[in-house]
Amino acid sequence: LIVGCGGSSDNAGGDGDAPVIAFVQTGADNDWRNAHTVSVKEAAADKGYDLRFAEGQSKQENQIKAFSSFVNQGVDAIILAPIVETGWDNVLEKAKKRNIPVVILDRKVNTDDESLYVTYIGADTYTEGKKAGKWLAEKMGGQAKVVELQGNPGASPTINRFNGFREAIADQSGIEIIASQSGEFRRSKGKEVMEAFLKKYGDEIDAVYAHNDDMAIGAIQAIEDAGMKPAEDIVIVSVDGVRAAFEAMVDGKLNCTVECNPLQGPLAMEAVEKILSGQADQLDKVTLIEDSVFEMEQAADVIESRKY
Ligand code: AHR
């Protein structure tokens, strides 16, 4: 175990000499999240790290408990995917006091003290929202009544995808968001909220913007149950680019997905490796992962090459 790097070698109780790395995940509520978890676990195994895993079942209080417990165990580093942006200062301070370095992965934390974590690695979720808005405005020729399915409240991708989309349509007076509600990044909740939107607005709805693919797939089910054709009667754009979204595009039920790559494990573990070898100063404070946009027309050609 390397010392002098913020690692705490004394009491984690790891297997042999392997560094003990903790990963505090948000939950297991959709395909993207499960791919993200697998990526982190595999990347830790590739580096030979002893990974301790906890997931918060979509609740910040559970994540905070798990995080504190890893601090008490004196692990060598903690990777945190925070369910919401705020409310982390106390536990991050605890980790800092114990000299346990923290890597923030996927979602951002909002803190005035940036020294509480070493580095942040994740997708550019604001740009994802902008790309979705730009794509939809073009597709609809600048005229559409849109309903929005948001992610869980307070999460950085929810905030950014909400704002990024609005920036993209700011000069499009014909694009009107007629309803916007959280579907919690879940398929079942996306379906439920879309059913309520359809009940209230019916044929008025021209398009759906979903903050993730799972909610879009829930919305597709609701649209079909209402006797309408998804992607034809109602245009649908979402974010993530999971396999199920590509399948829906191949089936002609989803128009577009803006990629958000969950395969972040290798980048996280490279950061951990640098930190543990005393090279934390070589890391950028923020690393944003580049993403692409995929339309229905390309789906059949690229689906086999998709890795998640
Ligand atoms: O933080 C990334 C987002 O979180 C993904 O878009 C979503 O599917 C997940 O729950």
Side-chain angles (χ1 to χ4, degrees):
L1 210 57
I2 297 146
V3 287
C5 57
S8 162
S9 59
D10 47 341
N11 57 359
D15 183 14
D17 285 338
V20 177
I21 311 302
F23 176 35
V24 182
Q25 177 61 288
T26 60
D29 42 17
N30 57 49
D31 292 356
W32 189 99
R33 193 56 52 190
N34 297 333
H36 189 249
T37 297
V38 169
S39 172
V40 172
K41 286 184 175 175
E42 284 179 356
D46 285 350
K47 291 278 185 211
Y49 295 154
D50 177 1
L51 189 80
R52 306 273 164 91
F53 177 75
E55 58 103 340
Q57 295 177 311
S58 306
K59 289 205 173 84
Q60 185 180 30
E61 64 201 73
N62 293 340
Q63 284 198 296
I64 286 177
K65 267 189 213 146
F67 189 103
S68 297
S69 151
F70 288 135
V71 171
N72 293 337
Q73 289 169 38
V75 299
D76 295 299
I78 301 178
I79 300 170
L80 171 66
I83 176 114
V84 289
E85 271 193 348
T86 54
W88 295 102
D89 286 49
N90 280 346
V91 274
L92 292 175
E93 274 159 17
K94 266 195 200 173
K96 194 179 173 186
K97 276 194 193 123
R98 290 283 303 261
N99 278 331
I100 299 174
V102 176
V103 171
I104 306 292
L105 189 64
D106 159 38
R107 297 185 180 180
K108 286 188 170 159
V109 293
N110 189 341
T111 173
D112 290 336
D113 182 359
E114 293 205 332
S115 76
L116 294 179
Y117 64 92
V118 182
T119 185
Y120 164 73
I121 300 163
D124 184 350
T125 54
Y126 188 85
T127 300
E128 288 165 359
K130 264 172 71 174
K131 285 178 177 170
K134 187 171 177 284
W135 180 87
L136 191 65
E138 271 170 28
K139 172 79 181 171
M140 305 307 291
Q143 286 296 327
K145 289 196 167 139
V146 184
V147 295
E148 178 181 33
L149 295 167
Q150 297 183 33
N152 64 285
S156 63
T158 304
I159 298 164
N160 289 334
R161 289 174 191 163
F162 180 98
N163 291 327
F165 186 86
R166 280 159 180 76
E167 190 198 317
I169 60 164
D171 59 352
Q172 302 276 336
S173 58
I175 304 283
E176 192 192 341
I177 301 167
I178 57 169
S180 178
Q181 205 179 304
S182 174
E184 296 169 7
F185 283 129
R186 291 169 195 273
R187 199 173 287 201
S188 56
K189 190 76 185 169
K191 180 169 185 265
E192 195 184 306
V193 175
M194 189 64 203
E195 279 165 358
F197 286 161
L198 285 163
K199 227 178 186 175
K200 186 156 182 207
Y201 300 100
D203 315 337
E204 253 190 89
I205 302 170
D206 300 311
V208 174
Y209 165 44
H211 288 196
N212 83 348
D213 290 337
D214 271 64
M215 292 189 295
I217 289 162
I220 288 169
Q221 288 164 4
I223 293 166
E224 286 181 325
D225 291 352
M228 297 167 101
K229 284 203 168 124
E232 282 183 35
D233 297 331
I234 298 181
V235 168
I236 308 166
V237 58
S238 57
V239 185
D240 275 359
V242 295
R243 178 159 291 269
F246 277 82
E247 285 164 359
M249 289 197 290
V250 170
D251 290 347
K253 296 181 179 184
L254 174 72
N255 301 85
C256 177
T257 185
V258 177
E259 185 182 38
C260 173
N261 193 338
L263 307 180
Q264 300 173 355
L267 281 176
M269 293 307 157
E270 276 157 33
V272 167
E273 191 173 41
K274 280 222 159 80
I275 294 165
L276 296 184
S277 61
Q279 297 174 305
D281 56 342
Q282 287 182 17
L283 291 167
D284 290 329
K285 195 72 190 178
V286 174
T287 302
L288 294 179
I289 300 159
E290 271 263 354
D291 294 311
S292 312
V293 176
F294 294 95
E295 295 184 286
M296 182 195 268
E297 294 69 23
Q298 304 160 262
D301 291 337
V302 293
I303 190 166
E304 287 316 320
S305 65
R306 301 298 299 164
K307 295 197 172 62
Y308 61 93

